[in-house]
């Protein structure tokens, strides 16, 4: 790998944290050590860049963190970085620190900020997709998504224990304001009766029909997985009320899984994904590339322009809705 | 063990289900097989006794269930059993089924029903304490409590990942309407900053002081564990609002753990406890005893009159509040 | 989906069991119910076909099993099925049961038996790849592989706790007699120092060099993941001895993970994979196809001739060895 | 709490590590902060005392470690401490560091060393029982034991998945060279057929009888839990061979769980136990006590002379063998 310009790389995590971010940081740091360049970690995402809060990281700094949830560099959303002044301050700090390129681990808000920053100040950035929502174009999987699916499925397994002991209906709200990836896949994995996602409004009628049909077919308990951003026009508590009114035989309960979905030790899949993507990110910088996002497409590590990643939305596999229908027969 | 009266024992689970109830049923069934008496399982607690819904259980009926959450006999709250007619119907069914004694796995509601039933119809009952709340007198531990503690602590570990990545304050509501056992022990186990329980109103001032002190001492994130039935006069959402208003530096979030606390594979402790208590319950019936509750006191399996168990409340170890204070220094 | 021939489908699991097999059976049964055809389950793989041990399965037969490890239809290796007589007996039983097509969930031994059987007796078979080893051509992932990776990584996380507390070197043997998929991916996920796989003999010298370099670079504990079928010419105990002799500063210990890798509740990934593959298998039969294997290739569900699947070996991504090298810097 | 002598306390972990040791260290440090005294942590047990390897610990040094397995102070067995010179060097270092008392977290080897050291050099020591083996007199539970039981039971749950899928017999070796606590309790919790422990030699005949009886009674798979130090005169591999020879219908396999039993995130029980014991240890020193061990007896935190703890053996509850017999009916 030839490289006559990059001598020091900065790394940060930004936006909502996700399991595997520590594995990603570790891989950036180890790849820098492997290629004999320096690495500094900025705290709290863009805010740490503005505040000049960073430290040098070597191969030993990241030992025994691959299995930890969260991000030891901490994350934050920075209002200051939305201003020209804030970004200028960040650029100044980077120059002072002699950072030749930045690796940004986060979601599309992070990448959007990074693109503007790179254009304004000429510092190359590479995005590594880290978010549990899996809502980034240019990669089949984002870091943390697989772990979040397991967390949701394990939680619903527990809820099913009590649901089936009591012949109850449970509405379980999972994360995903704009994308139904978590709801759809965890719903299938958890054996949910119905799955409500932002991408498709199946209508309240269908929900009642489906639950009624289930009951008549001999099912005594049911789980409905609901995405935060479901399009049915009711939140999870209103849904439960609506069903109780219209299907009085059902004893409907609600659970909102909340922030447990963001934490936890990353799955093997997320650790390997984070490692591969982050090494690629370092290699892209060394190779003179800039303003790219790394991703896993069809099991290969690829890269694309940040612009392209930001302009498009990942396509939900609608066939999974059909799968879910068949499985809840 | 001499026994010239008991030839068939009935078993049921009632009230809120808890992890380890299957292990308890299994132990009842296996103990019956061991002592060469018959065993029948009633579905859905008292309701199944009224509806005559039962089946004979042998040693093989309960294989591979020791590790499963919930209760395969199902549980329910029965309104019919609150009526004299309902109980008479249940007694009739028991006589028809030739059941000589009942083992009731559940909480104090279950035991109360059982006592009335035994008095009215002369059928001996033995109570086995199964509830996650640990709020039964006459035993140091109820079946399911230890598992629930682990579930809560694992969930808060995940929340702490994201809390400390984002420097946030989290309010986590756990089960326990009348008793703070879960909140107090899981709060200590999870390293919570503050713990709010039904038994003690520490006041809002103290909460604000404590959080403010923590922040000044360098803590960047905090967890407050709140029992459903906290006595502070605000629910968990109101508490978070109150803190946000009074301590604007804190970004406070709320998670309600909900029904995941009732499910899951039981811990080793709960499996062994359930097994020991349930075998004792069978042996008490064989020994001619009636209207007793089994319990574990100071690591020994004991029994006491149901009456006594129902008249008293278990004493919360208040020293744990002091422990919690010291640990959140 | 038009279908004028298939009225009843048989399903079985064969070879080493893997997490997700129950999810696969469930999906076969539910898809049959959805398409209004009958389904029978054969016990203990080919042996149950020979012994005529089967039962009809309907949508309710498979409730609450998606989360359970193992296979409720049980699995076995059948010597009788290797004989022409055995297979003839199986075919006879299938005809008597009016089974029009078989779905075989298992590995390449299972598929090989199925192909011979189909050719001899004209009964269409579809293979569903279920094995933790991921060593099947025609699919990027086999059912159970992802769960096994998580099991291994969680076990090594525990071992690392004690390894780093005691500054120890651990050799951990994982499954994989002929394929290093588990070793390579779990090794990266667990942050292993070195990974020994059947596909590549890195030599003992390199192992010693690498460990010695690690020690000098400040690492105080290390994990080496060894595939059962490593090509280095020593088993895991001999390896540990060899290292102790040649690097006396190291306190080397051995753990053989063994059969825990085959069990456990399947990951979300494996549940969704099992569901999608198995529905496709039913649809292929309904569509008049035969002697195919279903697989997931580049995130799409595909199928290929059993012949082709059996003639080829999946290709190990050798780039992962390079990744592992970089990460253990 | 009056205290006119103790101004600084040292803490270390020694012997085999156990889950909860970090929670114990954290509680020592936080209690010191609470009582306004200083705390230093010594690395690698007695060896760090000899090598003068220590650092000051404040309340913030121990944040976010309550949930981590292992011990961040590291542990070791020290040959040097067995010599008078070694201990003199340690005492010198302690005086230089102005340490007024030591808290030793470990097992009986640790306490034995501590007692000799205290006698020779007049530095008060308090022992906190941390070992997975539960083989310490003066406490019902040692730190790490409950977690180890859960680890074993979860591992055997996985093994049972594959055992019952294949109708197999599994011999599972668990830790416990001199004490059968882990084997007996995890065996009951895992639903084992037979449990072999160091305290009781049931004989090979009984094992064969029991397995044969099980098979005839319809059991198709079985688990036998074997303590490392079983008294039957055969190791776990020889046992499996013996059974295969004498009961040829059984397909017997072996799994040695090994060091996974030492690691992992501590259970809630162990975290609370570690916290309570360690706070008590600090308070004993402040109270002028010396050469004591803290323990939990009948749910209360107590202390006893180290001498007494070292002279006695904890009594195994033999009734559990009878329980195990009944449950494997």
């Amino acid at each position: 790998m030839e490289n006559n310009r990059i001598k020091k790389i900065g790394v940060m995590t930004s936006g909502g944290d996700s399991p595997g971010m520590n594995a990603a940081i570790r891989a950036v740091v180890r790849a820098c050590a492997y290629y004999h360049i320096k690495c500094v970690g900025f705290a709290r995402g863009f805010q740490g860049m503005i505040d000049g809060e960073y430290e040098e990281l070597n191969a030993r700094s990241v030992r025994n963190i691959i299995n930890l949830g969260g991000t030891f560099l901490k994350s934050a959303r920075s209002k200051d970085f939305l201003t020209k002044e804030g970004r200028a301050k960040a650029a100044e700090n980077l120059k002072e620190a002699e950072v030749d390129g930045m690796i940004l681990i986060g979601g599309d808000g992070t990448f959007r900020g990074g693109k503007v920053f790179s254009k304004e100040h000429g510092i190359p950035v590479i995005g590594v997709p880290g978010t549990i929502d899996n809502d980034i174009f240019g990669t089949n999987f984002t870091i943390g998504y697989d772990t979040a699916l397991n967390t949701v499925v394990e939680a619903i397994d527990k809820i099913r224990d009590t649901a089936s002991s009591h012949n109850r209906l449970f509405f379980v709200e999972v994360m995903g304001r704009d994308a139904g990836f978590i709801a759809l896949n965890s719903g299938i994995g958890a054996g949910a009766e119905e799955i409500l996602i932002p991408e498709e409004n199946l209508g309240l009628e269908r929900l009642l029909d489906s639950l009624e049909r289930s009951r008549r077919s001999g099912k005594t308990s049911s789980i409905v997985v609901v995405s935060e951003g479901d399009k049915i026009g009711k939140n999870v508590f209103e849904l439960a009320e609506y069903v109780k009114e219209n299907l009085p035989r059902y004893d409907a309960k609600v659970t909102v899984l909340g922030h447990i979905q963001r934490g936890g030790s990353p799955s093997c899949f997320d650790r390997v994904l984070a490692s591969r993507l982050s090494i690629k990110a370092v290699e892209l910088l060394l190779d003179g590339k800039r303003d790219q996002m790394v991703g896993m497409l069809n099991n290969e590590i690829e890269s694309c322009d940040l612009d392209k990643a930001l302009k498009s939305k990942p396509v939900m596999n609608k066939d999974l809705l059909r799968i879910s229908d068949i499985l809840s027969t």
Side-chain angles (χ1 to χ4, degrees), chain A:
Chain A
M1 189 136 301
E2 28 172 341
N3 162 38
N4 33 34
R5 278 160 309 161
I6 304 283
K7 295 202 172 62
K8 194 189 277 186
I9 286 176
V11 60
M12 56 79 117
T13 49
S14 170
D17 64 315
S18 73
M21 280 188 162
N22 278 324
I25 301 166
R26 172 182 179 266
V28 167
V29 173
R30 294 269 165 100
C32 287
Y34 183 84
Y35 290 119
H36 303 295
I37 55 174
K38 288 192 172 165
C39 184
V40 291
F42 287 84
R44 295 176 301 113
F46 291 125
Q47 196 59 45
M49 285 164 60
I50 294 173
D51 299 344
E53 197 182 335
Y54 61 89
E55 55 174 336
E56 202 161 307
L57 300 172
N58 64 42
R60 293 294 72 74
S61 316
V62 290
R63 75 172 119 195
N64 290 345
I65 66 165
I66 195 172
N67 58 324
L68 301 182
T71 156
F72 88 99
L73 288 179
K74 304 214 169 182
S75 185
R77 295 178 208 272
S78 166
K79 278 184 189 168
D80 298 345
F81 201 77
L82 299 176
T83 68
K84 218 175 165 71
E85 295 71 34
R87 294 190 296 272
K89 187 80 183 66
E92 214 172 285
N93 286 328
L94 259 60
K95 269 160 211 165
E96 208 180 283
E98 301 185 309
V99 168
D100 304 311
M102 280 297 300
I103 292 178
L104 314 175
I105 305 168
D108 48 12
T110 305
F111 300 161
R112 207 161 279 128
K115 210 188 62 179
V116 173
F117 179 72
S118 163
K119 195 171 286 179
E120 283 178 0
H121 299 284
I123 296 169
V125 304
I126 304 287
V128 176
T131 162
I132 63 167
D133 292 330
N134 208 37
D135 58 349
I136 309 276
F137 183 85
T139 188
N140 297 135
F141 302 100
T142 56
I143 299 166
Y145 169 59
D146 183 66
T147 305
L149 289 181
N150 285 331
T151 299
V152 170
V153 155
E154 284 165 27
I156 301 184
D157 285 351
K158 290 191 170 80
I159 291 170
R160 191 191 6 230
D161 283 343
T162 191
S164 69
S165 295
H166 283 277
N167 295 345
R168 269 178 185 155
L169 168 64
F170 266 89
F171 286 86
V172 181
E173 188 193 279
V174 301
M175 283 189 167
R177 231 174 275 278
D178 305 307
F181 289 101
I182 291 179
L184 193 45
N185 278 277
S186 72
I188 290 175
E193 212 47 49
E194 279 290 329
I195 302 168
L196 307 181
I197 56 173
E199 287 85 348
E200 192 105 350
N201 184 352
L202 298 171
L204 286 163
E205 281 311 303
R206 186 195 133 104
L207 178 63
L208 294 183
D209 279 1
S210 159
L211 292 173
E212 192 51 22
R213 208 175 338 108
S214 292
R215 204 187 52 75
R216 279 200 306 265
S217 84
K219 286 202 187 179
T220 54
S221 63
S222 288
I223 306 279
V224 178
V225 171
V226 184
S227 214
E228 275 175 314
D230 79 276
K231 278 292 174 302
I232 211 163
K234 290 184 184 296
N235 73 28
V236 70
F237 293 99
E238 293 164 350
L239 270 175
E241 277 314 306
Y242 180 83
V243 166
K244 273 197 244 187
E245 276 163 32
N246 287 276
L247 297 177
R249 286 163 189 270
Y250 268 110
D251 177 16
K253 299 267 174 188
V254 171
T255 292
V256 176
L257 289 185
H259 278 79
I260 62 168
Q261 295 166 83
R262 291 213 174 280
S265 182
S267 67
C268 185
F269 187 96
D270 274 331
R271 299 182 193 189
V272 175
L273 176 68
S275 300
R276 293 177 70 187
L277 291 178
S278 301
I279 289 173
K280 177 72 172 183
V282 171
E283 292 174 345
L284 284 174
L285 280 179
L286 295 187
D287 212 30
K289 298 290 191 307
R290 53 184 304 153
D291 305 354
Q292 305 267 306
M293 191 194 83
V294 292
M296 185 158 88
L297 289 172
N298 299 336
N299 305 312
E300 298 296 329
I301 302 303
E302 311 279 1
S303 62
C304 72
D305 282 347
L306 265 183
D307 267 330
K308 199 176 152 196
L310 286 168
K311 270 186 195 131
S312 313
K313 278 248 161 200
V315 182
M316 158 79 63
N317 182 345
K318 288 269 176 78
D319 190 49
L320 290 176
L321 283 173
R322 195 179 62 88
I323 296 290
S324 160
D325 250 25
I326 293 175
L327 292 171
S328 61
T329 302

